[in-house]
Amino acid sequence: MSEKIAVIGAGLIGRAWAIVFARAGFNVAIWDAIPQALQSCQQLLRENVADLAGHGLIDESVDTVLGRISPAANLADALQGAVLVQENVKETVEVKREIFAEMDRLASPDTILTSSTSWIPTSEFSEHLPGRERVLVAHPVNPPYLVPLVELAPAPWTSAKSVERARDIYTRAGQSPVLLKKEITGFLLNRIQGAVLNEALNLYENDYASSEDLDKVLKDGLGLRWSFMGPFETIDLNAPEGVLDYAKRYGHTYRDVAKTQPPNEWQADTLAKIEKERRTALPAEKLGERARWRDNRLMGLVAHKRKQPG
Ligand SMILES: NC(=O)c1ccc[n+]([C@@H]2O[C@H](COP(=O)([O-])OP(=O)(O)OC[C@H]3O[C@@H](n4cnc5c(N)ncnc54)[C@H](O)[C@@H]3O)[C@@H](O)[C@H]2O)c1
């Protein structure tokens, strides 16, 4: 009998998690506080899984994968017998506290409780729970069925056993877990994304380049390597003798440049200028169409990466 995962919240991320787990053979119970959300999620799930099938990204039929996902009548039914609960409801501390208190009360003591929260540390919504040792953040990247990274960010009181069990489940679900050794706002991915955005905004604001050219620096430059290796492996290979050799050659320059990279204030007029340039390049009514183009490009890239040697 397959293990059961409970997905709480049937919005964008909840639906995507349901696909991740069902694709890997887990049974999924999905529940949402709004019945309409639970109902409309059926059609959206079918469209997303059919897209994956179209790119050769599922090994079974669409119906087989969807057959593992069932809507639950209520929260207690969703949690019943689950090895792990993935929470994906509204992003406020109050709502997270409320739903985790309810889930901690209803779930069996050995069920792992995880949150998809993008910014809220585990300790902010688990501190007073009797079962707080089995609660942790498992932050995905949208959509997790295409982007496998999941950031495991436990509180100081989350048990090592819970973290290991979560890591094992996400790995078996085909994801790529990373562990935060201590809590920090924004976890890892959004902090690194924030550093890149900070510098892109600074360079734009000070008129060093257009927004189009700054986007090109990533898409035709750094991003190509970054789709299969990270910054440390990159510098290890960018000097003949590895990291120390790279640091000897370029470290002082990076240090000097870092002194000229202040925190950007995200000023309204700078963002309005970027918005104007983007709307000239892409009219507002075409945003949805372009997002579908992006998802298709992403599926093509994932299919390509699957065929490459590790
Ligand atoms: N959207 C992203 O790119 C992204 C990426 C990573 C993580 N996240 C995180 O995932 C979580 C969900 O985000 P989303 O984009 O799917 O939002 P969403 O608005 O698409 O979906 C939220 C769903 O939760 C339901 N809901 C709200 N309160 C509830 C409650 N108390 N009980 C049960 N259901 C409830 C809503 O009806 C809705 O269907 C957030 O914590 C968000 O920070 C989002």
Side-chain angles (χ1 to χ4, degrees):
M1 174 87 169
S2 299
E3 290 162 294
K4 174 181 167 184
I5 304 290
V7 169
I8 305 306
L12 187 69
I13 293 297
R15 288 196 304 271
W17 272 123
I19 294 172
V20 166
F21 290 115
R23 177 176 66 181
F26 292 87
N27 286 324
V28 178
I30 186 164
W31 180 76
D32 197 287
I34 299 180
Q36 178 56 32
L38 200 52
Q39 210 173 3
S40 60
C41 104
Q42 309 297 324
Q43 181 57 26
L44 294 163
L45 283 169
R46 181 163 287 280
E47 284 169 19
N48 290 150
V49 177
D51 277 350
L52 289 176
H55 281 84
L57 292 174
I58 51 170
D59 303 325
E60 302 167 297
S61 73
V62 171
D63 284 335
T64 302
V65 173
L66 290 175
R68 298 195 184 104
I69 306 174
S70 330
N74 52 50
L75 183 60
D77 280 0
L79 268 46
Q80 173 69 39
V83 289
L84 180 142
V85 180
Q86 183 83 42
E87 169 278 318
N88 316 270
V89 306
K90 206 169 156 204
E91 180 77 353
T92 70
V93 180
E94 295 70 34
V95 174
K96 301 289 190 202
R97 278 187 189 143
E98 219 172 282
I99 190 91
F100 272 88
E102 193 68 358
M103 296 194 310
D104 189 41
R105 193 174 63 76
L106 292 171
S108 103
D110 57 351
T111 302
I112 306 288
L113 306 180
T114 67
S115 173
S116 293
T117 175
S118 303
W119 295 96
I120 309 169
T122 304
S123 52
E124 288 195 21
F125 55 86
S126 69
E127 185 174 2
H128 302 294
L129 300 179
R132 65 184 193 168
E133 84 295 334
R134 38 85 170 256
V135 179
L136 71 152
V137 165
H139 173 237
V141 187
N142 182 40
Y145 54 76
L146 292 180
V147 188
L149 184 77
V150 52
E151 301 186 280
L152 303 183
W157 45 78
T158 309
S159 71
K161 188 168 157 239
S162 300
V163 174
E164 270 326 298
R165 284 186 58 213
R167 191 208 286 266
D168 171 61
I169 291 169
Y170 290 110
T171 304
R172 285 191 284 122
Q175 301 306 98
S176 173
V178 291
L179 177 65
L180 273 89
K181 296 197 235 167
K182 49 189 175 178
E183 291 192 302
I184 188 166
T185 305
F187 315 124
L188 305 175
L189 180 138
N190 278 332
R191 291 187 73 86
I192 292 174
Q193 174 159 254
V196 170
L197 274 170
N198 187 74
E199 184 57 7
L201 284 166
N202 279 345
L203 290 168
Y204 179 82
E205 206 160 80
N206 292 299
D207 208 24
Y208 286 101
S210 65
S211 57
E212 190 186 354
D213 279 355
L214 285 162
D215 271 352
K216 269 192 199 168
V217 171
L218 273 291
K219 74 173 180 179
D220 293 337
L222 289 169
L224 286 182
R225 265 197 305 253
W226 283 357
S227 75
F228 59 92
M229 62 167 60
F232 295 133
E233 190 171 0
T234 296
I235 67 170
D236 199 27
L237 301 183
N238 272 3
E241 290 170 42
V243 171
L244 287 178
D245 187 14
Y246 188 91
K248 201 162 67 195
R249 291 164 191 244
Y250 311 113
H252 62 283
T253 314
Y254 279 111
R255 259 193 332 262
D256 290 347
V257 167
K259 289 178 192 142
T260 67
Q261 295 175 308
N264 189 276
E265 296 298 329
W266 288 67
Q267 289 187 53
D269 54 343
T270 303
L271 292 157
K273 259 178 82 186
I274 297 174
E275 166 77 17
K276 197 163 164 226
E277 288 179 27
R278 286 298 310 147
R279 291 296 66 79
T280 307
L282 181 72
E285 64 275 14
K286 298 234 156 118
L287 279 166
E289 193 183 304
R290 187 75 171 166
R292 281 192 293 283
W293 165 88
R294 175 204 59 202
D295 290 345
N296 272 298
R297 288 288 305 257
L298 206 46
M299 285 188 228
L301 182 60
V302 172
H304 164 78
K305 283 185 69 164
R306 279 198 176 182
K307 289 189 216 123
Q308 303 306 307

